[in-house]
Amino acid sequence: MRRLGNKRRTVPTTRKHDTGTVHSHSHSHSNVTSAGPGADPEDRRPSPRRTARLLAVALTALASAVPAHASEAPAPRTPAPVPTVSASADTLGTGQSPLPGWRSQDSGVTVRLRGLAAVDRRTAWAAGSQGTVLRTTDGGAHWRTVSPPGAADLEFRDIEAFDARRAVVLAIGEGEASRMLRTEDGGATWTEVFRNTDPRAFYDCVAFFDDRRGLAMSDPVDGKYRILSTRDGGRSWRVLPDTGMPPALPGEAGFAASGQCLVTSGPRDVWLATGGGARARVLRSTDRGHTWRATELSLPAGDPARGVFALAFRDSDSDSSDSSDRGSSDRDRDRHGARGIAVGGDYRTGQPSPDAAATTRDGGRSWRPADRPPPAYRSGAAWLPAPWAHRVGSRHAALAVGPTGTDLTTDGGRTWRPMDTGSYDTVDCAPDGGCWASGEKGRVARLTR
């Protein structure tokens, strides 16, 4: 990804001297209801005993309408920059399920964290500027720094974790700045497994199909995206032939903004997000990166700062509404990654990002712009796993995050609604329901109800 003003382009990073403190605040909303006494329509002139009873009822209702203590009165709604728990009091249309929210956690660092890997409800990894790698094994109650030694000059933008002990982290940059390191002991030690020696290459993202097979992608070299492949869990890498890769558009590249410009679903399907060209595109491979097909999207394009920044795919659902009009061969071919979401826009502050999201139901063969997209640029996206389905009232829920907030969809990406106003760069969820977001100034948060 090229840097603005230089040969390479990437979204702005936090400078080494930038620091920040994460503030926390929570909102509480109190609803006070009142009830009035009812009158008996058949007794217009009540007896003294009935009059006393009615008076007692009226006094009781009056007492219930007035708070007994000042602390019970509704508190003024004063927004804070980083809420401890930022859950909306709104519901998802049914009047039953409240929106989830982010609970801020203390990462112990102030660098920008653009790489994130949620393993399960207790385990997650984060990576960012100044060679920083963090890990939690207690649900985020404590984050421990497990950075590789001597990596302070590296810019980590993506991390893929297999469990609490094994992970692969990607550093971006021109030439030898692009590297990958691997740990097998929870970050106690690291081994460099790849160092780019081609000054024309600039690696943006890495993704795995399972704990053995994975790919990494570079911006175009000689007019085509370059793909690395591993078959041993990231211990060794090789460049794949580019004969099956379509030509890149002039000025086109990937965005190293959230570690989600290259994503997988199932054992063979992988997608690559692009920007900077005349049209925003997503490239799809169904054979682990050997051959690719490109599809255009309606997201903002035509400028080095615009395009698709993040993708999220998941295995197709079993409901027949998505496959009744297709043949069995098509259904078999789409059994992995049939539903997908693309988010992006223009990352420059203050620039509009209309049509900043799109959806696919056929594995990326075609894309439809969101009917109601997020209101601004979004850099990260993730499907909510099954444990969240009953909480949000939908099996088709997903999150999109960016510098100006988080949005939630409950209809597979067709419509989005604001959920939070905090700044996050990336988001990731584990199958058991553990979801985290991370971003600038060391911000880390966990999704909670």
Side-chain angles (χ1 to χ4, degrees), residues 354-400:
D355 300 324
T359 66
T360 178
R361 289 191 174 188
D362 57 11
R365 290 182 178 83
S366 62
W367 291 84
R368 169 185 173 180
D371 296 331
R372 189 173 67 204
Y377 155 70
R378 295 293 180 255
S379 55
W383 289 99
L384 287 180
W388 281 96
H390 72 282
R391 301 182 186 180
V392 301
S394 172
R395 295 182 296 111
H396 309 302
L399 299 174

Side-chain angles (χ1 to χ4, degrees), residues 34-46:
S34 61
D40 189 342
E42 297 181 357
D43 191 0
R44 297 184 180 180
R45 298 184 65 182

Side-chain angles (χ1 to χ4, degrees), residues 116-401:
L116 185 63
V119 177
D120 54 44
R121 284 180 291 181
R122 296 187 60 83
T123 307
W125 300 67
S129 302
Q130 300 180 30
T132 302
V133 179
L134 307 176
R135 185 188 66 145
T136 180
T137 56
D138 56 10
H142 302 88
W143 286 86
R144 177 188 174 193
T145 300
V146 292
S147 305
D153 292 332
L154 298 182
E155 184 73 24
F156 291 141
R157 292 296 181 90
D158 197 358
I159 187 166
E160 299 293 315
F162 309 114
D163 49 41
R165 297 182 62 81
R166 299 175 298 157
V168 174
V169 64
L170 170 73
I172 68 162
E174 295 177 330
E176 293 191 358
S178 285
R179 307 177 193 180
M180 281 186 279
L181 295 88
R182 189 179 192 275
T183 182
E184 296 183 356
D185 53 15
T189 61
W190 292 85
T191 301
E192 183 177 294
V193 292
F194 171 77
R195 180 179 297 207
N196 175 43
T197 58
D198 190 336
R200 301 169 298 170
F202 186 109
Y203 286 85
D204 299 300
C205 289
V206 58
F208 280 83
F209 301 96
D210 49 43
D211 63 359
R212 295 186 304 112
R213 298 178 182 272
L215 302 176
M217 59 82 66
S218 164
D219 288 344
V221 176
D222 294 331
K224 292 185 177 181
Y225 288 96
R226 176 169 289 181
I227 304 296
L228 293 177
S229 174
T230 181
R231 296 181 179 180
D232 55 12
R235 294 179 179 87
S236 62
W237 297 82
R238 66 185 182 93
V239 177
L240 293 182
D242 65 1
T243 54
M245 176 69 70
L249 300 178
E252 192 180 44
F255 287 106
S258 59
Q260 296 176 330
C261 57
L262 184 73
V263 300
T264 64
S265 181
R268 305 181 65 86
D269 290 353
V270 58
W271 296 263
L272 189 160
T274 77
R279 298 173 298 280
R281 303 194 302 170
V282 169
L283 280 62
R284 180 199 187 205
S285 171
T286 58
D287 56 9
R288 298 196 190 103
H290 291 279
T291 60
W292 299 78
R293 291 186 179 181
T295 304
E296 296 180 6
L297 283 72
S298 59
L299 271 72
D303 187 276
R306 301 173 185 165
V308 183
F309 281 73
L311 299 169
F313 277 84
R314 69 173 186 180
D315 293 353
S316 60
D317 297 319
S318 58
D319 51 279
S320 59
S321 62
D322 291 337
S323 57
S324 59
D325 59 344
R326 303 204 311 269
S328 60
S329 61
D330 283 337
R331 288 196 298 270
D332 290 341
R333 192 160 51 246
D334 284 346
R335 68 185 183 278
H336 292 291
R339 287 181 178 268
I341 292 172
V343 299
D346 189 323
Y347 72 73
R348 293 172 297 189
T349 302
Q351 293 297 312
S353 292
D355 300 324
T359 66
T360 178
R361 289 191 174 188
D362 57 11
R365 290 182 178 83
S366 62
W367 291 84
R368 169 185 173 180
D371 296 331
R372 189 173 67 204
Y377 155 70
R378 295 293 180 255
S379 55
W383 289 99
L384 287 180
W388 281 96
H390 72 282
R391 301 182 186 180
V392 301
S394 172
R395 295 182 296 111
H396 309 302
L399 299 174
V401 301

